[in-house]
Amino acid sequence: MASVNTASAAFLATIPSPDQGVWHIGPVPIRAYALCIIAGIIVAIWLGERRWVNRGGTKGTVIDVAVFAVPFGLVGGRLYHVITDNQLYFGEGKNPLNALKIWDGGLGIWGAIALGAVGALIACRRRGIPLPAMADALAPGIVIAQAIGRLGNYFNQELYGAHTDLPWGLEIYQRINVDNPDDFLNGVAIGHIPLADSPVHPTFLYELIWNLGVALVVIWADKKFRLGHGRVFALYVAGYTAGRFWIEMMRTDSANHILGLRVNVWTSILVFAAAVVYFVLAAKRGPREAPETLWSKDVPREDESAEGTGSGERAAEDSPKDEAHAEVAAAPDTVRDSAADKATEDPKPDAEK
């Protein structure tokens, strides 16, 4: 009885994996991975829009930028994955068309950010706003979106570390796909049969928590020091890559190596160094961008739109002539009479006085 209780306690101390990551509504597959990515994008746009407006930007600009940045980012993320893990799609016995199946997982954040920035640059130039300022507004939302996206890895039962006996170890199960025995991603865990290394380090969870911490630090630093000119984005990149470095070292999934280190470890090191250098150099650009520089060129400002008929009426109301008339009207009768007498005695126009 004691051994049974011990086993039950050990099981309760671990994190179970979902039985599946794909559900079907008729012939339509509903993938948790895709839902997490969509949810992350929505959160990033919502938070980015609030931050952009608070900094003085035009309302609705972030959505316009996302129309370009999101598709560019998805393509870039997939390209990075396919290039760095090309052995999964090319070579003997491989089907290159599988590289197009983004719904099966496989997005590299480095490619997503790089090509997404190209899309954002196009949108910012169309609006006449500075890209660094937009990047600063989006930075916290992007890293939160990355955290939400890591939940997709949880449902896909991927990107975990080595075996662990820690209380928060992740249970991973054998998934069975009757239609395609080699396709475990779309399979279902029947009977909760644990894999050989189970339980394992939930590295996706480590990164999720780290990313949320980075978002809080970035928001705090931005408010306290009023960062601008891309420094908020650089701080996010430095914080994210610092965490990705040690988390990547814990992962046990297959990956290409350079000089004994995973490709993503080297990428983290290089990108971290670049972010720190940019953060330091961008400080020379001075204070945060002025709010008027963030207003889209194709949207009239409220003060400019008020310069039409309304401004003319206000000008007439506020003119010195009208103020003088108001003063006379409000004066006692004797003052008004003397003013009228003076006007009669001196009929010359002002230009001749």
Side-chain angles (χ1 to χ4, degrees):
M1 180 66 69
S3 62
V4 173
N5 291 337
T6 303
S8 299
F11 176 78
L12 292 175
T14 58
I15 303 173
S17 289
D19 290 343
Q20 61 196 100
V22 182
W23 299 265
H24 289 81
I25 299 179
V28 180
I30 306 299
R31 302 178 185 276
Y33 184 79
L35 293 178
C36 290
I37 292 177
I38 293 172
I41 292 173
I42 292 174
V43 170
I45 293 175
W46 171 79
L47 182 57
E49 175 73 7
R50 291 192 60 179
R51 287 174 51 81
W52 180 251
V53 173
N54 288 339
R55 294 168 92 89
T58 314
K59 186 176 181 180
T61 303
V62 170
I63 297 178
D64 292 340
V65 171
V67 169
F68 286 86
V70 171
F72 273 72
L74 291 175
V75 172
R78 188 60 175 178
L79 283 175
Y80 180 88
H81 168 72
V82 172
I83 292 172
T84 56
D85 292 298
N86 59 84
Q87 72 280 357
L88 300 177
Y89 308 100
F90 306 101
E92 186 177 355
K94 303 297 182 181
N95 183 4
L97 293 179
N98 288 338
L100 302 177
K101 297 180 179 180
I102 191 173
W103 52 86
D104 283 342
L107 289 174
I109 185 62
W110 320 109
I113 293 297
L115 209 55
V118 174
L121 176 61
I122 295 173
C124 286
R125 286 191 172 181
R126 288 165 59 93
R127 282 296 194 108
I129 56 179
L131 176 62
M134 175 59 67
D136 285 343
L138 294 176
I142 291 175
V143 74
I144 293 175
Q146 290 175 238
I148 297 173
R150 282 308 181 200
L151 289 174
N153 302 132
Y154 172 57
F155 281 94
N156 280 359
Q157 199 171 256
E158 59 187 359
L159 306 189
Y160 47 79
H163 172 77
T164 180
D165 293 325
L166 293 172
W168 55 83
L170 175 69
E171 296 286 351
I172 49 177
Y173 310 122
Q174 179 181 348
R175 289 182 175 180
I176 299 174
N177 187 344
V178 178
D179 297 329
N180 186 357
D182 296 328
D183 184 11
F184 301 108
L185 186 64
N186 294 301
V188 180
I190 300 176
H192 291 172
I193 302 172
L195 295 179
D197 294 332
S198 184
V200 295
H201 279 285
T203 51
F204 78 89
L205 180 60
Y206 298 163
E207 186 171 331
L208 185 158
I209 297 173
W210 181 272
N211 287 350
L212 293 179
V214 169
L216 292 176
V217 170
V218 167
I219 292 174
W220 168 82
D222 187 29
K223 287 184 177 180
K224 183 172 181 62
F225 303 107
R226 294 189 56 81
L227 301 175
H229 303 287
R231 299 183 77 205
V232 180
F233 190 84
L235 182 61
Y236 139 65
V237 172
Y240 170 73
T241 51
R244 184 64 183 268
F245 172 81
W246 65 267
I247 294 172
E248 191 74 23
M249 297 286 285
M250 298 181 66
R251 285 171 48 175
T252 58
D253 54 305
S254 61
N256 292 327
H257 290 68
I258 298 177
L259 299 177
L261 293 178
R262 296 163 67 98
V263 171
N264 283 332
V265 172
W266 284 112
T267 306
S268 297
I269 295 172
L270 296 176
V271 175
F272 173 84
V276 171
V277 171
Y278 182 92
F279 184 85
V280 173
L281 295 180
K284 299 179 180 179
R285 298 184 180 181
R288 177 188 291 179
E289 296 90 342
E292 57 267 21
T293 65
L294 310 184
W295 199 267
S296 299
K297 64 179 182 181
D298 54 346
V299 178
R301 295 182 64 89
E302 294 180 1
D303 52 352
E304 293 176 353
S305 61
E307 290 178 0
T309 56
S311 62
E313 294 172 358
R314 287 198 305 272
E317 294 172 359
D318 298 337
S319 65
K321 181 179 179 181
D322 289 342
E323 290 179 0
H325 288 171
E327 291 176 2
V328 171
D333 293 340
T334 56
V335 176
R336 288 202 301 272
D337 293 340
S338 62
D341 294 338
K342 183 178 181 181
T344 304
E345 295 172 359
D346 190 8
K348 294 182 180 180
D350 292 342
E352 297 178 8
K353 289 183 180 179

